[in-house]
């Protein structure tokens, strides 16, 4: 197979669904450590129903620092996990959970390269429980 990559632009628009609020499923969780040595769980959200069912809604993360625990608590409550007192949870406990996620489209410039990237993000308070 011959491939000509000349003129092929880098993909910089990662928006797969328009802004809005969607019923989503936590699809994949990837635990890691931040540069500041805090535990981070990155996860993908897939649209669960409707016109965009099955499409990637966004990637997001929870960072378990003093400041980040407040958002983690809101997220845990929204997906039906314990969110008060001391709890024992593992990254895989998030997988398959359903949540309402509000998406907004953001564009930012990459470090050093100056390329612009457009993607969906979930704002700080952009999660809520699925009704019913």
């Amino acid at each position: 197979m011959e491939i000509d990559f000349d003129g092929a632009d880098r993909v910089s628009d990662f928006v797969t669904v328009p802004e809005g609020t969607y019923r989503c499923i936590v699809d994949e969780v990837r635990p890691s450590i931040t540069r500041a040595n805090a535990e981070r769980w990155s996860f993908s959200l897939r649209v669960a129903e409707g016109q965009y069912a099955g499409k990637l809604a966004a990637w997001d993360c929870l960072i378990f620092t003093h400041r980040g625990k407040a958002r983690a608590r809101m997220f845990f409550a929204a997906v039906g996990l314990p969110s008060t007192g001391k709890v024992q949870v593992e990254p895989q406990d998030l997988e398959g959970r359903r949540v309402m996620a509000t998406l907004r489209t953001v564009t930012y410039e990459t470090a050093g390269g100056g390329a612009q990237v457009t993607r969906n993000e979930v704002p700080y308070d952009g999660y809520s429980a699925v009704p019913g």
Side-chain angles (χ1 to χ4, degrees):
M1 169 171 59
E2 182 176 310
I3 301 172
D4 182 3
F5 289 113
D6 290 341
D9 295 330
R10 284 187 355 190
V11 174
S12 59
D13 185 347
F14 299 101
V15 175
T16 56
V17 297
E19 290 183 336
T21 300
Y22 297 89
R23 236 176 248 244
C24 292
I25 297 172
V26 179
D27 189 36
E28 176 184 357
V29 182
R30 297 179 184 172
S32 62
I33 302 294
T34 67
R35 287 183 286 213
N37 207 32
E39 190 163 354
R40 170 180 47 216
W41 295 355
S42 299
F43 54 91
S44 63
L45 297 165
R46 293 225 174 259
V47 178
E49 61 185 37
Q51 177 181 358
Y52 301 105
K55 290 196 176 269
L56 176 68
W59 273 92
D60 199 3
C61 68
L62 301 174
I63 301 174
F64 297 93
T65 60
H66 181 70
R67 283 182 51 198
K69 286 180 191 174
R71 186 168 191 252
R73 178 186 308 161
M74 286 188 295
F75 181 79
F76 278 26
V79 299
L81 288 171
S83 58
T84 59
K86 288 185 180 180
V87 300
Q88 180 65 41
V89 292
E90 299 300 327
Q92 62 269 20
D93 295 338
L94 272 61
E95 292 179 356
R97 297 281 178 162
R98 294 181 180 264
V99 67
M100 298 300 294
T102 299
L103 306 177
R104 65 181 177 200
T105 302
V106 296
T107 300
Y108 62 94
E109 203 167 290
T110 60
Q116 288 197 339
V117 174
T118 303
R119 67 177 185 84
N120 282 336
E121 72 173 13
V122 180
Y124 181 87
D125 60 349
Y127 291 110
S128 60
V130 172

